[in-house]
Every structure is written in structure tokens, then in C-alpha cells.
Amino acid sequence: MPFCPQCGVDNPAGARYCDQCGAMLIPVPAQAAPPTAAPATAVPAIGPTVCPQCGQAAIPGEAFCDNCGAPLSAPARPVAPIPSPPQSTAPPQPAYPPPTPVTAPPTAPAAPPSYQAPAVPSVAAPPTAPAAPVVTAPPTTPAAPAAPPSYQAPAVPPVATPPAIPSAPPAPPTPAVPPMTPSPVSGRTSLASCALVVVGTGAVLPLPAASQALVGRGDPVSKFYPDIDLGPHGALDQGVGRRHARIFVQGGQVLIEDLDSVNGTLVNGQRVLPHRSRTLSNGDQITLGRMLLRFQA
């Protein structure tokens, strides 16, 4: 609906001038009507219903015309009729086709006249002077080179021979030592009696009685199930991979190794590098992705 920038009154759609103050209107995009509208108040008819300036029909109660902006209270001025153009009585002229342009046939370019260089008179060569006789100098005998002075080497003083150093007595032979037999390593040989405790739920997951155990998340699609399956404990949402880490026994100690997982492995807050092992002790905190576990030995 057009909006008046001078008095702020909304005007009917299609009006170009304000029907209250006569100012030029600014078109405003239509908006959705509110669900409930107040009843319109009837406006008493003030002026005529036809614009005296342009003859456009006006709504009763408007002060200015919506079409030309003239005040509706001004008297109507006569509008001179527009005379119609006179009609010619001459008979119509027949239409002739446009003349066809005539083009001259192409002419061959004239050959340029042949050019001949002007004859140059021959000039007699001047007489040549007789050549002067060549005088050759007698050959000179090269002078004999001067004999170089005789060179004598400086006298070198004799070098004193150092006294002979007595040789050390030979070392006594080392007695043969029998090879040592390695003693058996004391400590763990399997992961028996070890377990992982899920800190969030308190679930205890005992490790198998073997030298190593694979910790991760089971995948029924690929039919992969690790030794310690953390899938039922929310491993997928906490970023635990299928082959996340490996716990094994080596040298009587329990170690953990990260198997190049995507979200990494932490032991007591310290990152374990991929394919690097770290010793585990009783009560250590293990973080696989975002899942927190506690190691029990």
C-alpha cells in the first residue's frame, strides 16, 4: 500500500499522490493483514466524487486526487477535446520493390611499367704506380743466454737419533670366562587377573588370560569383534575405533600400544604415540577417544 512521506497516511493501492496532503507517494510492499482488524470508521463525504482536474473517480472524503494530486475542492476546468488527425483523400501509392544495386565487374589491376636502370658510362681506371722494391734486413744472430749462477744447497745439520725405548713386558693371558646363562625374567606372563573399569558406568571388563588383548569396538557389518568390545558402553559416540589399542605383556610388565587410532590414546593425560608402547600400573587412567577407563592389575 503506498505510504505518504509527508503526513504518514496510508493510501489506496495504485494511488500516486496522497489523498490527504497531495504529496507524491512512496510505494510500500504489501504486508499480510493481521488476524483481527478494527472496524473501519465511515468517513463522511466532503468533496465531489470526480476529480475536477483529470476527471478520475475519487473516493468520498478524500481531499486530493489519487491520480494527479489536484485538490478535489477546486472547480473543474474544461478539457479541450483533442482533434483527430485529418484523413488524406489521395489514393494510396503502389509499393515498388527497392532497385537492385548494379555492381561493376572487377577489373584487373594494370601491370606496373617495367623499370630499366639508366646506363652508366664506363670510367677508365687510373694507372697503377709501380710497386716499391722490398728491402729485406739481414738476419740477426741471437745473443747467447747468460749462464745462471751456480747454486749450492744449504748445509743440513745432522739429526740426533733418539734413544731406543724399552718395550713393555707382554700382558699375561686373560683367563677364559664361561658364558653367562640368562636368568629367567620374573613377573607377569599373561593378562590374567587384569581388568578395565569403565569410569562412567562402573562396568568391569576382565582381560583374557593371554599375552595380549585387542581393545576396540565391534562391527557386525564387517564381522569384526575385538577381545575387549567397548561397543555396548557407548564407544561409537565417544570416538573409539574398531582397532583402537593393544594391551600386552612384555618383560614381565603390562604395556599399552596405540594402533594408529583416529582420536588417539592417553595414559594419565599423556598422549601415547601411534605404534609406541607405554607401561601400565595399577590405577592408571586410560582415555580412548573420549571414553575414560581405569586399569586394574
Side-chain angles (χ1 to χ4, degrees), residues 188-278:
R188 290 184 174 272
T189 58
S190 67
L191 297 174
S193 70
C194 296
L196 295 177
V197 180
V198 182
V199 176
T201 61
V204 179
L205 307 176
L207 298 178
S211 59
Q212 64 176 358
L214 185 64
V215 183
R217 171 177 50 85
D219 186 12
V221 177
S222 60
K223 298 181 180 181
F224 175 79
Y225 299 94
D227 299 328
I228 303 299
D229 188 5
L230 300 176
H233 305 282
L236 179 61
D237 297 335
Q238 301 187 31
V240 179
R242 292 181 301 173
R243 297 173 53 88
H244 200 106
R246 181 175 70 101
I247 300 177
F248 60 99
V249 176
Q250 184 177 1
Q253 297 179 345
V254 180
L255 298 93
I256 186 172
E257 176 188 9
D258 181 81
L259 299 179
D260 199 9
S261 60
V262 176
N263 298 317
T265 303
L266 303 177
V267 175
N268 295 330
Q270 297 182 358
R271 183 179 178 84
V272 180
L273 297 178
H275 300 291
R276 297 292 182 88
S277 58
R278 182 183 178 90

Side-chain angles (χ1 to χ4, degrees), residues 33-42:
T36 57
T41 305

